[in-house]
């Protein structure tokens, strides 16, 4: 990806993309590819938001000196409509973020495959979060010239190129997410961000919104809405398949806000959410990943540990009701004479994962401690690592000194005296 400065109002951004076409093989077990990829380029012209970019670091984008019919250069003229947060693409290279870009043919509702203007879908995703765009690109008329020379035709697409050898397009529809991946706790609420923009939308036109969830090969529709503006009011047809799920029809129609609210989250809510928006002749979608989490609660089986003799003692570390499944348990000991903790993890054993009805897991780790290796004052630590914990969580106890043996013999002596006293009293009662 490259950034190029152009004037004081915007910068040009050049993305390396792939043109995706069906065909090229049988696919599946035959070993062929179901889709063919051809290297292409997507140029965002005059992308606003170049604050923080030094003119010394960017240069104007210059098309090839000699146009080539085999080149696939999609030149995107802005602003046809506002593309939310597209300026983040300006800083992606400096932030060492990869941009994934794919382009494919698109046929609007009611149009023929070869009709003009031609349409394409451009999928642009900023790795590591930030923005995800699904753009509907519409070709523009090539520049007129004073000569009768026919424009250069792109060899693969058979579409006329501009004088600079690019395929000039504009954005006529976009569905986006500014938070394409989100983490939320069990029992909490979450807003899945999705929105759309359309050029030349028709007042009173229906806007269709569908949200689906896909998880582990299973999918279902959880919301289906059709909304329209009728004067000062917004009408809607609504289907909801999950309690605590909602979208706002007035925000959908008036602001292009297609976000979904999920309340009282459960483990079963985790998955890939597909936001599909349709308006007029255009329909496309955006994907939002929802990850459900719950940190483990950590306890030890004993509050204190004392060795009265040479008998080993068992200590257990319990990790309660966590999600997701990934958890790591480590054991350490540090005697008073040692400067650093010593790992005991190899001497421990793990129980199997126990899954609860709410989808969370529990697990226990067991460790047998020898009195000669763990003198009084030794600190025993159970350390648990889990994706929900920024740093590992510790549960500790200290080996106590054994109780003095004199106390035991004192108790034995008192019991003996009591027995003698009771015996004598019983004999006196008989006489």
């Amino acid at each position: 990806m490259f950034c190029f400065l152009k004037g004081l109002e915007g910068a040009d951004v050049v993305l390396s993309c792939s043109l995706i076409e069906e065909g090229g093989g049988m696919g599946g077990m035959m070993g062929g590819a179901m889709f063919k990829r051809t290297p292409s380029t997507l140029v965002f012209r005059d992308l606003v938001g170049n604050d923080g970019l030094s003119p010394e670091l960017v240069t104007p984008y210059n098309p090839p000196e000699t146009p080539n019919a085999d080149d696939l250069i999609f030149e995107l003229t802005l602003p046809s409509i506002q593309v939310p947060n597209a300026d983040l693409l300006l800083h992606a290279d400096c932030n060492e973020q990869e941009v994934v870009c794919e382009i494919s043919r698109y046929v609007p509702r009611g149009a023929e495959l070869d009709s003009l203007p031609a349409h394409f879908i451009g999928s642009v995703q900023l790795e590591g979060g930030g923005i995800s765009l699904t753009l509907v690109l519409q070709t523009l008329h090539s520049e007129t010239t004073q000569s009768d020379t026919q424009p250069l035709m792109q060899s693969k697409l058979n579409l006329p190129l501009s004088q600079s050898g690019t395929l000039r397009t504009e954005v006529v529809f976009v569905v986006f997410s500014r938070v394409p991946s989100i983490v939320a706790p069990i029992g909490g609420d979450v807003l899945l961000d999705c929105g759309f923009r359309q050029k030349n939308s028709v007042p009173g036109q229906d806007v269709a919104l569908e949200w689906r969830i896909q998880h582990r090969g299973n999918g279902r529709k959880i919301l289906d809405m059709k909304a329209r503006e009728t004067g000062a009011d917004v009408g809607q047809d609504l289907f909801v398949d999950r309690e605590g799920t909602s979208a706002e029809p007035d925000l959908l129609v008036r602001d292009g806000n297609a976000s979904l609210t999920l309340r009282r989250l459960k483990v079963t809510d985790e998955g890939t959410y597909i936001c599909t928006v349709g308006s007029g002749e255009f329909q496309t979608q955006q994907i939002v990943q929802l990850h459900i989490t719950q940190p483990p609660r950590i306890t030890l089986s004993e509050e204190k540990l004392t060795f009265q003799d040479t008998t080993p003692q068992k200590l257990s570390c319990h990790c309660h009701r966590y999600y997701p499944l990934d958890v790591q348990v480590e054991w350490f000991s540090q005697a008073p004479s040692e400067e650093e903790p010593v790992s005991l993890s190899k001497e421990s054993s793990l129980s199997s994962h126990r899954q609860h009805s709410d989808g969370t897991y529990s697990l226990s780790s067991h460790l047998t401690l020898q009195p000669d290796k763990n003198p009084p004052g030794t600190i025993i630590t159970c350390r648990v690592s889990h994706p929900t914990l920024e740093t590992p969580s510790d549960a500790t106890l200290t080996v106590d000194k054994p109780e003095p043996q004199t106390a035991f013999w004192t108790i034995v002596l008192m019991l003996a005296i009591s027995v003698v006293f009771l015996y004598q009293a019983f004999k006196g009662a008989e006489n």
Side-chain angles (χ1 to χ4, degrees):
M1 192 199 83
F2 305 95
C3 302
F4 301 89
L5 186 67
K6 185 177 182 181
L8 298 177
E9 297 180 353
D12 300 339
V13 173
V14 181
L15 303 179
S16 297
C17 301
S18 295
L19 178 68
I20 310 298
E21 299 173 283
E22 292 186 5
M26 295 296 293
M29 296 181 66
M30 300 298 293
M34 296 183 65
F35 297 95
K36 183 168 60 176
R37 293 176 175 267
T38 304
S40 60
T41 301
L42 180 62
V43 181
F44 284 81
R45 281 290 198 181
D46 296 333
L47 192 62
V48 296
N50 62 346
D51 56 303
L53 288 177
S54 171
E56 291 77 15
L57 299 179
V58 290
T59 57
Y61 167 71
N62 294 315
E65 294 184 2
T66 303
N68 188 334
D70 294 331
D71 288 344
L72 279 168
I73 305 174
F74 293 84
E75 182 179 356
L76 178 57
T77 303
L78 295 172
S80 52
I81 60 175
Q82 181 186 5
V83 180
N85 289 34
D87 59 295
L88 293 175
L89 298 174
L90 291 168
H91 304 277
D93 208 29
C94 299
N95 295 335
E96 297 183 350
Q97 289 180 284
E98 182 182 355
V99 179
V100 179
C101 175
E102 295 181 340
I103 300 173
S104 58
R105 289 297 295 260
Y106 176 76
V107 181
R109 280 195 287 253
E112 299 294 333
L113 177 61
D114 297 326
S115 61
L116 295 176
H119 294 82
F120 297 85
I121 284 282
S123 175
V124 179
Q125 295 179 330
L126 189 61
E127 292 286 304
I131 188 65
S132 180
L133 306 169
T134 305
L135 309 157
V136 177
L137 310 179
Q138 178 176 289
T139 56
L140 296 171
H141 296 295
S142 60
E143 306 96 326
T144 58
T145 62
Q146 295 180 351
S147 66
D148 294 331
T149 304
Q150 292 295 321
L152 184 66
M153 303 296 288
Q154 211 287 323
S155 59
K156 179 178 286 291
L157 303 175
N158 196 31
L159 293 172
L161 299 176
S162 68
Q163 293 180 2
S164 58
T166 65
L167 189 65
R168 297 181 65 242
T169 65
E170 65 174 345
V171 177
V172 292
F173 192 74
V174 57
V175 177
F176 61 88
S177 178
R178 290 159 294 194
V179 189
S181 180
I182 190 169
V183 178
I186 293 176
D189 301 340
V190 71
L191 181 71
L192 303 183
D193 182 75
C194 183
F196 80 100
R197 300 288 186 269
Q198 182 176 6
K199 182 184 180 184
N200 300 332
S201 60
V202 178
Q205 177 176 270
D206 277 8
V207 179
L209 171 64
E210 178 187 275
W211 278 93
R212 298 183 65 88
I213 178 176
Q214 297 281 346
H215 187 56
R216 296 179 180 176
N218 297 317
R220 76 179 196 278
K221 182 193 302 183
I222 61 172
L223 182 139
D224 193 343
M225 174 187 291
K226 288 182 176 62
R228 69 204 65 85
E229 192 169 10
T230 55
D233 299 324
V234 174
Q236 66 166 328
D237 301 320
L238 180 64
F239 165 81
V240 176
D241 189 44
R242 179 197 178 278
E243 186 178 355
T245 300
S246 63
E248 301 296 332
D250 54 338
L251 296 180
L252 175 66
V253 172
R254 294 169 179 166
D255 299 335
N257 187 340
S259 299
L260 183 74
T261 298
L262 300 174
R263 296 180 176 85
R264 299 179 295 278
L265 291 172
K266 302 177 181 178
V267 168
T268 52
D269 292 318
E270 182 175 73
T272 299
Y273 285 78
I274 304 170
C275 169
T276 303
V277 180
S279 180
E281 59 187 322
F282 303 116
Q283 175 179 296
T284 188
Q285 62 190 28
Q286 192 57 242
I287 291 176
V288 180
Q289 300 286 347
L290 174 60
H291 304 279
I292 301 297
T293 62
Q294 180 158 294
R297 182 173 61 88
I298 305 164
T299 61
L300 294 175
S301 58
E302 307 292 338
E303 294 183 358
K304 62 179 182 177
L305 185 64
T306 304
F307 294 101
Q308 292 291 352
D309 50 31
T310 59
T311 304
Q313 293 203 32
K314 181 179 177 180
L315 185 62
S316 299
C317 183
H318 304 297
C319 306
H320 305 274
R321 294 187 177 273
Y322 53 85
Y323 192 87
L325 182 65
D326 305 321
V327 68
Q328 181 180 4
V329 183
E330 300 174 281
W331 288 95
F332 298 93
S333 72
Q334 185 174 0
S337 59
E338 296 172 337
E339 296 183 358
E340 297 291 336
V342 176
S343 175
L344 302 178
S345 300
K346 292 184 178 180
E347 303 173 22
S348 64
S349 61
L350 285 174
S351 69
S352 59
H353 288 278
R354 302 179 296 277
Q355 188 171 19
H356 303 282
S357 59
D358 62 356
T360 59
Y361 297 92
S362 293
L363 174 141
S364 298
S365 177
H366 310 291
L367 179 68
T368 300
L369 297 169
Q370 305 293 335
D372 57 330
K373 296 181 180 180
N374 299 277
T378 300
I379 300 174
I380 307 297
T381 301
C382 171
R383 179 164 298 165
V384 177
S385 301
H386 189 259
T388 59
L389 303 172
E390 292 186 5
T391 58
S393 181
D394 291 349
T396 64
L397 60 72
T398 303
V399 178
D400 290 338
K401 293 181 179 180
E403 296 180 0
Q405 293 296 318
T406 53
F408 171 79
W409 291 113
T410 300
I411 294 173
V412 172
L413 180 59
M414 293 178 63
L415 288 173
I417 294 174
S418 298
V419 170
V420 172
F421 175 78
L422 289 174
Y423 176 78
Q424 291 179 346
F426 177 76
K427 293 292 290 183
E430 287 183 343
N431 295 332

